[in-house]
Amino acid sequence: MADAVEHGGANGHAGVIGGGGRLGAARLLLWALAAVLAVRQAASVLRVPPGEWFGDLHLSASTAAPGTLYDAGQFTGTPFAGLVLKPLAGLAAPSSLEVAWTCLTLLLVAAVGVVAARGLPDPVPRRTALLAAPVLVALMMVSLPVRAAAFPGQTAVLPVLLVLLAVFRVPGARPAGFLVGLAAALQPALLLFAPLLWLTGRRPTARAAAATFAAATALAWAALPRDSWTYWIHHLAGTGLGGSPDGPANQSVHGALLRFGLTGPAEILLYAALAAAVTWAALRRAARYARDGQLLLAVAVTGCAAVAVSPTGWRHQLLWVLLAVAGRVGKRAADRRVWPVAVVLAITLPSAVLLPNMAALAPVRDNVPLLAAVAAACAVPFLPRSSPYWREPVPTVHGHPAAARWARIPLLPFWRRALSRPNLLLELLLIRVGYSIYSHIRAAAPASRSLAERNGSRIHGIERLLGIDIERAVNGAVVDAPWLEAFFDFYYSSFHFVVPLGILAVLYWRRPADYRWARASLGLATVIALAGFWLFPLAPPRLMPGLGFVDTVHGAQDLANPSYGAMTAISNQYAAMPSLHFGWSLWCGIVVVVLAPKGWQKLLGALHPLFTVCAIVATANHWVLDAVGGAAVVGAGFGLVHVLSGPRGLRVSLPVQRRTEAGEPDRVAAARR
């Protein structure tokens, strides 16, 4: 492992401290972004009232009254951590303390990013060497662990930095072991690094780590015997401190089993078996990656296993998962982004954004960070540095570059039309997160009732002027025909998501190049529609007082109540212009008419937007002009894709096929298939 330190980049690219041209400017901008995010995080933490800093943790400044650390159940650290933090509670200026604590925590985060970036395995491209540190620091600043660790009394960032310094920056065996043992004294599960050091040949360091941990724990027992008994014996290494062990904040295997409803001896035995299996698999993998020169990945894998097998793995201890992006996964260039994107999403976004609020998905949604940690520790097939795909993955097939349509509207230089099938997991993640962001922005759009009703009156007046105010007549006719009302209610509520997702699924499987074209146009149309929701809040016909419309889908609305019942909690009721109900159906119709091989399929595609516009008008959910707005944004989406990336049918541009020594087509040629 010592050789791995020298080979793995601890000194190999540490000298790359500057860059010229665009790389240097990008590096400065990224550091500025990281600084802005740090200030934002500090501002959110410093809004905590000074009286709450350390107050709820019951950290008496005096050790003369032992047994007070865990009385309130709020402090989750070890007795040694409490012994270190106790003097801070006696400081006279809590406001100065909170500022110092927050700044120190964020500085530790920046130090973790710098040390981890310099631990990347050689050879490191110049761009990666220059940009890795600011990118990692910026990601950590917005991650869930750092957002939780910056609050009072949390010391989760310090153990991460101590381990990284011990592995990458401290040359001596005893000093490195002292840092690892100190980290384990603050977070006991990190003692798992001792066997990793032993397996990789650094046995003096492993012995020093174990001795330091034992000495620090014994010191805490001597100073705080009652607290040590409470933590180690009564609560079994802190289980249940700081909250219920079956709560979603406990992202460990033990917490997940409790959330599944398992209790008693059966749960304990299963937890012990799973923890042993995770530990065994993670240490084997980590030792293999360390010998392969991927020392940062080995450290991340071990850290992920430590959090997973700990009785309580709090969110602020999951920074190890973000460090696991150092591993490379996938033989194709299109697959190389999946693991980093999945890790960043899992560790920065709430689980409700990643998965819909469905009961069947609750076991996964409640354990997303844990699943990411276990996957990094045991399952993700990281490539060894000896793999031929380590530096040269199978390239993505692109079409010939298209010329700009107009001199003043050039094509974007980075937008190249890929013709091969994208990675499915990455597509599902981006679609889900994109829709969650869209829903959040739509719900946050202005929802002034008076403004929305005034805009509704304007739309109604324009339609009367144009002679297209047919909504009331159509709505009344449908209400008088129950079978027709049932049909349009079903059509309105059932096909809005099913048809677009079905078309995207078919295109992904059968027409990957056309899938990218269709997906991009739909995404751009949806983004453009958000501007309409913000700039023009509009009351739909069913929410216009005095016009006599009947809401056939949602039932009678109490117009005297501005909340309009449960529907207001689901979505912004005034995000009606443009109508994406019609816009998405028009997109479906265009895609099917353009791409479907048979006439009856084209006919069904053309009928779908026709039925949809009838449904949105008949159910009093949209004005006719809302449909016109939906058509406009869909046209803009297709137009932008055409202008920026060229026409849909581009020829394939492939590198010249080469042969390997064995006579088989190489990775570039494999992309043809």
Side-chain angles (χ1 to χ4, degrees):
M1 193 168 180
D3 295 337
V5 172
E6 298 177 1
H7 183 71
N11 300 313
H13 59 277
V16 183
I17 59 174
R22 288 182 296 180
L23 273 181
R27 186 169 186 261
L28 290 176
L29 287 175
L30 287 171
W31 275 119
L33 174 63
V36 169
L37 294 174
V39 171
R40 176 180 175 273
Q41 175 62 30
S44 66
V45 174
L46 293 178
R47 283 197 291 265
V48 176
E52 296 182 11
W53 278 77
F54 296 98
D56 291 339
L57 303 181
H58 290 255
L59 295 174
S60 173
S62 173
T63 58
T68 60
L69 278 180
Y70 306 108
D71 283 353
Q74 299 298 315
F75 183 63
T76 61
T78 62
F80 178 76
L83 187 64
V84 173
L85 292 175
K86 267 180 175 289
L88 298 179
L91 296 181
S95 59
S96 301
L97 173 61
E98 66 180 77
V99 173
W101 182 277
T102 303
C103 293
L104 178 60
T105 300
L106 297 179
L107 286 175
L108 292 177
V109 172
V112 168
V114 172
V115 176
R118 297 198 174 186
L120 292 173
D122 286 332
V124 179
R126 180 175 178 78
R127 181 175 64 178
T128 302
L130 288 173
L131 304 183
V135 168
L136 184 56
V137 172
L139 288 175
M140 286 192 294
M141 289 299 177
V142 298
S143 67
L144 297 175
V146 169
R147 277 145 58 184
F151 279 88
Q154 306 295 356
T155 59
V157 178
L158 180 58
V160 177
L161 180 60
L162 292 176
V163 171
L164 291 177
L165 289 174
V167 173
F168 292 108
R169 309 309 299 172
V170 176
R174 289 184 178 178
F178 173 77
L179 293 182
V180 173
L182 198 61
L186 296 172
Q187 188 177 334
L190 297 185
L191 194 61
L192 200 61
F193 280 97
L196 174 65
L197 293 168
W198 188 275
L199 291 173
T200 52
R202 298 182 67 177
R203 298 187 176 183
T205 306
R207 286 193 290 267
T212 302
F213 170 77
T217 303
L219 176 63
W221 270 97
L224 305 171
R226 179 183 167 188
D227 290 325
S228 297
W229 176 272
T230 301
Y231 181 87
W232 291 107
I233 307 300
H234 181 68
H235 280 284
L236 296 177
T239 305
L241 293 174
S244 177
D246 61 350
N250 182 12
Q251 290 294 310
S252 69
V253 173
H254 177 54
L257 292 177
L258 293 177
R259 284 190 289 276
F260 289 150
L262 299 176
T263 56
E267 187 274 331
I268 295 176
L269 291 175
L270 182 57
Y271 161 62
L274 291 176
V278 170
T279 301
W280 178 78
L283 287 177
R284 286 192 61 193
R285 283 160 55 88
R288 184 168 68 250
Y289 295 136
R291 289 190 291 266
D292 188 53
Q294 301 186 66
L295 194 51
L296 179 60
L297 179 59
V299 170
V301 165
T302 307
C304 290
V307 176
V309 304
S310 176
T312 52
W314 303 115
R315 292 182 187 273
H316 60 268
Q317 299 171 345
L318 287 166
L319 202 57
W320 302 103
V321 181
L322 194 55
L323 299 181
V325 297
R328 299 185 184 182
V329 183
K331 299 179 180 179
R332 300 190 308 159
D335 300 333
R336 197 55 69 81
R337 306 185 196 95
V338 178
W339 173 245
V341 170
V343 167
V344 170
L345 294 179
I347 213 67
T348 58
L349 296 179
S351 300
V353 175
L354 300 176
L355 293 170
N357 188 19
M358 299 170 58
L361 296 177
V364 178
R365 187 178 58 252
D366 294 342
N367 299 289
V368 167
L370 170 63
L371 293 175
V374 173
C378 304
V380 178
F382 298 111
L383 291 174
R385 295 173 70 247
S386 58
S387 170
Y389 303 102
W390 168 263
R391 298 187 64 181
E392 296 184 8
V394 177
T396 301
V397 180
H398 293 90
H400 284 296
R405 299 297 175 275
W406 300 280
R408 296 186 180 181
I409 308 180
L411 297 177
L412 296 180
F414 58 82
W415 192 323
R416 296 188 298 162
R417 178 73 62 78
L419 303 179
S420 58
R421 183 177 293 110
N423 184 277
L424 179 59
L425 178 58
L426 183 60
E427 290 296 301
L428 294 176
L429 283 173
L430 295 181
I431 288 174
R432 171 58 196 171
V433 172
Y435 181 75
S436 296
I437 295 174
Y438 156 77
S439 300
H440 179 75
I441 295 176
R442 172 178 169 142
S448 169
R449 177 177 180 179
S450 59
L451 177 59
E453 290 179 354
R454 285 199 303 270
N455 288 335
S457 299
R458 291 169 185 164
I459 291 293
H460 192 210
I462 294 173
E463 290 189 350
R464 282 186 297 181
L465 182 64
L466 298 175
I468 58 174
D469 56 328
I470 61 174
E471 294 88 355
R472 181 66 185 89
V474 174
N475 180 242
V478 168
V479 171
D480 292 337
W483 67 270
L484 198 57
E485 177 184 348
F487 171 76
F488 281 126
D489 288 353
F490 174 78
Y491 205 93
Y492 177 85
S493 58
S494 300
F495 292 99
H496 182 44
F497 295 106
V498 173
V499 177
L501 291 176
I503 290 175
L504 287 174
V506 172
L507 292 179
Y508 177 86
W509 184 252
R510 302 294 297 272
R511 309 277 291 267
D514 290 327
Y515 165 81
R516 294 176 183 270
W517 163 77
R519 176 205 58 188
S521 60
L522 180 63
L524 288 173
T526 304
V527 171
I528 296 170
L530 290 174
F533 301 154
W534 274 86
L535 299 176
F536 197 78
L538 175 65
R542 63 185 176 85
L543 297 183
M544 287 294 292
L547 296 184
F549 286 96
V550 177
D551 186 351
T552 63
V553 176
H554 309 111
Q557 300 290 314
D558 180 10
L559 298 183
N561 180 7
S563 68
Y564 302 126
M567 285 303 300
T568 307
I570 297 175
S571 64
N572 186 347
Q573 300 300 289
Y574 298 136
M577 171 62 82
S579 169
L580 283 185
H581 238 92
F582 176 73
W584 287 4
S585 69
L586 180 62
W587 172 88
C588 295
I590 292 174
V591 171
V592 172
V593 168
V594 171
L595 300 179
K598 298 180 180 180
W600 65 268
Q601 297 170 339
K602 295 179 184 291
L603 177 61
L604 288 179
L607 288 176
H608 178 53
L610 177 62
F611 284 145
T612 301
V613 72
C614 293
I616 64 175
V617 173
T619 59
N621 276 278
H622 283 285
W623 306 95
V624 172
L625 288 181
D626 295 348
V628 176
V633 297
V634 169
F638 280 114
L640 282 174
V641 172
H642 183 82
V643 168
L644 296 176
S645 65
R648 182 182 61 84
L650 294 176
R651 292 179 298 163
V652 176
S653 176
L654 285 173
V656 178
Q657 181 174 351
R658 300 191 300 269
R659 295 276 175 175
T660 61
E661 294 181 0
E664 295 295 330
D666 68 354
R667 299 184 303 277
V668 174
R672 293 178 181 268
R673 302 190 293 270

